[in-house]
Amino acid sequence: MNRRRNRCIGLVLGGGAARGWAHIGAIRALEEAGIKPDVVCGTSIGALVGAVYANGDLDWLEEWVGHLTWQTVVRLLDVRFSGGLLGGRKVIDVFANQFNGRGIDELQLPFAAVATELDTGREVWLRDGGVVDAVRASIAIPGLFTPIWHDGVWLVDGGLSNPVPVSAARAMRADCVIAIDLNHDILNGRDLGGAIDTVLREAPEEVEPAASDEPHVLLRRNGKRFPRWLQPSGRGATNGADVRVAPPPSARVPSLLSSVAQSIDIMQVRITRSRLAGEPADVLIQPRLGGMGLFDFHRAGPAIAEGRAAVQYMLPAIRAQLGIE
């Protein structure tokens, strides 16, 4: 297929934690249509998938995520309480072995990962240095993953500053940007428990239990309770707060971590809408992933299928932009 004026295609992979497996299906659908990007940019999970793709290892990644179970996810998440709830070392080690010390300039495609400087909020584009270091910085969700020290500053998740980094692709001379936004329909009132509470329930036995008389508590595998501050407040409980309208008896008050996850989702949606309004992509692909939570990494199959379907739906627009008949 000939592109109009040999346009440089930039593929932008947005952040969204476990929803990022949809990027695999999206890339597959683009390849099947004969569309191959010239540059790849990513934020958070988009940086991870983008780096693997730029390294020519998408087959390996698709097979690996296809075998993830809840038990595997819990072991990889490495629960801790220093700098962030999740250390992230175990999962990064998996990818470090695959990248084998490779630098960004050694990848098969030009690549950039987006991170955020913690002290200033400045957006940082990581276009050189080690691939693993760049990806690890880009996925460092504050409060969940520990920040990364890089060139004299602490770096955290790129989603704080640019969840769908169209601007980075433009800076890399892409004149047709295909962007994938994972977060456009996630604020649809899904259950706030589930995934994150399960992570805690399956966590290692290193956290001191605390006495609690609450009727609904999260338990570790040994049957002991997690500390009170990690527990949901119970059905209809208000913890003594002075509220004018109490929740109905059937309402389950979210745990601290469930609240954090939902807050991250809200932040991602708001920032994404703002950035894309000012820096629009030529083609915006938006998989329907509202039913997936941050830590639903074991649900790769549905996510990949939705990423593929979203690209197939947008193929006429992509071909029109590229001048492909």
Side-chain angles (χ1 to χ4, degrees):
M1 293 185 181
N2 295 322
R3 303 174 194 165
R4 183 171 54 208
R5 302 191 306 274
N6 296 318
R7 304 187 73 182
C8 176
I9 300 176
L11 178 62
V12 173
L13 306 179
R19 294 182 284 268
W21 299 151
H23 290 317
I24 298 173
I27 293 170
R28 292 296 194 201
L30 288 171
E31 288 181 334
E32 289 166 5
I35 299 167
K36 182 176 175 59
D38 300 292
V39 301
V40 179
C41 301
T43 289
S44 197
I45 190 69
L48 188 151
V49 176
V52 172
Y53 175 52
N55 197 43
D57 288 330
L58 198 64
D59 290 342
W60 166 82
L61 179 62
E62 186 168 8
E63 181 179 0
W64 184 75
V65 302
H67 288 89
L68 287 178
T69 64
W70 251 122
Q71 290 76 16
T72 310
V73 172
V74 169
R75 287 195 297 269
L76 289 172
L77 285 178
D78 189 17
V79 176
R80 55 181 293 173
F81 289 89
S82 175
L85 178 65
L86 308 172
R89 184 68 264 165
K90 293 181 181 179
V91 68
I92 284 297
D93 284 345
V94 173
F95 290 91
N97 291 334
Q98 194 69 22
F99 288 122
N100 195 28
R102 195 163 287 115
I104 291 176
D105 59 353
E106 298 177 272
L107 296 174
Q108 297 177 15
L109 291 171
F111 170 76
V114 177
T116 304
E117 190 175 312
L118 184 58
D119 291 337
T120 65
R122 183 175 65 92
E123 180 181 339
V124 179
W125 298 342
L126 301 171
R127 298 178 57 181
D128 52 31
V131 177
V132 172
D133 291 341
V135 170
R136 180 61 182 83
S138 188
I139 68 171
I141 302 173
L144 294 181
F145 289 98
T146 52
I148 295 300
W149 185 254
H150 178 82
D151 285 348
V153 296
W154 288 106
L155 296 181
V156 293
D157 195 299
L160 290 175
S161 54
N162 200 350
V164 186
V166 173
S167 55
R170 299 284 189 202
M172 295 174 72
R173 300 185 182 278
D175 50 23
C176 180
V177 174
I178 301 170
I180 303 175
D181 168 24
L182 304 176
N183 301 315
H184 81 289
D185 71 337
I186 60 177
L187 301 181
N188 290 333
R190 67 172 182 275
D191 179 17
L192 298 185
I196 291 185
D197 289 350
T198 305
V199 171
L200 283 175
R201 193 177 295 114
E202 300 292 335
E205 302 175 9
E206 298 176 353
V207 183
E208 286 294 324
S212 173
D213 56 354
E214 294 163 339
H216 301 279
V217 296
L218 295 178
L219 301 177
R220 298 182 296 178
R221 282 176 293 181
N222 65 358
K224 295 180 180 179
R225 297 172 177 178
F226 277 90
R228 183 183 299 271
W229 66 274
L230 288 175
Q231 300 289 352
S233 301
R235 295 188 182 277
T238 60
N239 290 332
D242 181 14
V243 295
R244 294 185 179 275
V245 180
S250 61
R252 179 171 181 257
V253 180
S255 69
L256 179 145
L257 292 176
S258 296
S259 298
V260 168
Q262 186 73 347
S263 298
I264 291 172
D265 284 344
I266 293 169
M267 175 197 71
Q268 293 271 2
V269 170
R270 302 301 186 217
I271 297 174
T272 298
R273 290 175 181 173
S274 177
R275 292 299 300 255
L276 288 177
E279 302 161 353
D282 295 289
V283 179
L284 182 62
I285 298 166
Q286 297 179 309
R288 298 175 62 87
L289 301 166
M292 289 193 68
L294 281 177
F295 291 111
D296 286 349
F297 291 101
H298 62 299
R299 298 178 59 196
I304 291 172
E306 181 53 40
R308 180 187 293 273
V311 167
Q312 290 172 341
Y313 177 78
M314 292 297 295
L315 273 179
I318 297 172
R319 291 193 173 104
Q321 279 291 331
L322 295 175
I324 299 173
E325 297 182 357

